[in-house]
Amino acid sequence: MKYAWIQSHRKEFSIASMCEFLNVSRSGFYDWQDAPKTEREKENEELIEQLGILFQEGRGTYGTRRLKRKLKEVGYTVSRRRISRLMKRAGLVCKTKRKFRVTTDSKHKQPIAPNLLERQFTVDKPKQTCVGDITSIETQEGWLYLAVVIDLYFPHLKI
């Protein structure tokens, strides 16, 4: 594990300083680096490649359960934990659907504003008729509200 860390950070720090800091020998690192890959490492590389293909076919929505099923169809029997570990190593993160949240309560007893436009969206003069709407947007910092007001006068648009 230490050797793999040294390998991944070799562009940032010198190998000698990392080996000294982690209390491992440089010769041990170079022996590890030159050693042939084990069967497990070769199998993991093959599985990561297969996972990438299946993940792309699923448009990034496949999680470990579905990938396990798909791998079994292709001929691999792998645990979900191993799939999860390999997905992390390959940087594969599945997209999750957000739950739809209803923000409008139409079943109320409050008075409803009259429809003054009566679907007459063509107007002759600017600043005569404006329409607007408001919506809420969930962000990482919390809910924000977006209000839009539009003048219906478009001199170039004739409907």
Side-chain angles (χ1 to χ4, degrees), residues 15-153:
I15 292 173
S17 63
M18 287 188 287
C19 287
E20 185 178 335
F21 181 76
L22 295 172
N23 201 23
V24 294
S25 67
R26 281 190 314 188
S27 60
F29 168 74
Y30 289 117
D31 287 345
W32 170 85
Q33 190 179 21
D34 296 336
K37 291 183 180 174
T38 64
E39 288 299 315
R40 181 76 166 190
E41 289 171 333
K42 291 176 188 174
E43 196 176 297
N44 281 343
E45 286 178 1
E46 191 178 319
L47 279 171
I48 287 174
E49 187 178 320
Q50 200 64 40
L51 282 170
I53 293 167
L54 294 172
F55 194 76
Q56 227 174 5
E57 285 175 10
R59 298 182 313 278
T61 60
Y62 286 2
T64 56
R65 286 183 175 92
R66 200 178 299 176
L67 283 172
K68 181 178 179 176
R69 255 184 275 130
K70 292 289 183 181
L71 282 171
K72 192 164 187 159
E73 289 174 12
V74 182
Y76 296 95
T77 304
V78 187
S79 72
R80 282 184 43 222
R81 287 186 183 194
R82 185 173 179 193
I83 292 170
S84 176
R85 215 173 24 253
L86 294 175
M87 283 178 70
K88 282 179 188 171
R89 189 184 304 172
L92 303 175
V93 180
C94 65
K95 299 176 198 169
T96 56
K97 290 186 179 179
R98 291 187 164 238
K99 184 180 177 186
F100 178 75
R101 177 183 261 172
V102 177
T103 57
T104 306
D105 177 18
S106 300
K107 297 178 183 177
H108 56 76
K109 298 196 190 280
Q110 303 295 325
I112 298 172
N115 184 358
L116 301 175
L117 281 179
E118 299 288 336
R119 301 193 62 78
Q120 297 298 318
F121 300 119
T122 307
V123 293
D124 300 327
K125 296 183 274 182
K127 298 182 183 175
Q128 180 183 9
T129 308
C130 292
V131 294
D133 196 11
I134 187 167
T135 188
S136 54
I137 303 168
E138 187 178 8
T139 67
Q140 290 179 340
E141 296 178 6
W143 285 91
L144 297 178
Y145 296 94
L146 173 67
V148 179
V149 178
I150 301 172
D151 188 345
L152 286 182
Y153 176 69

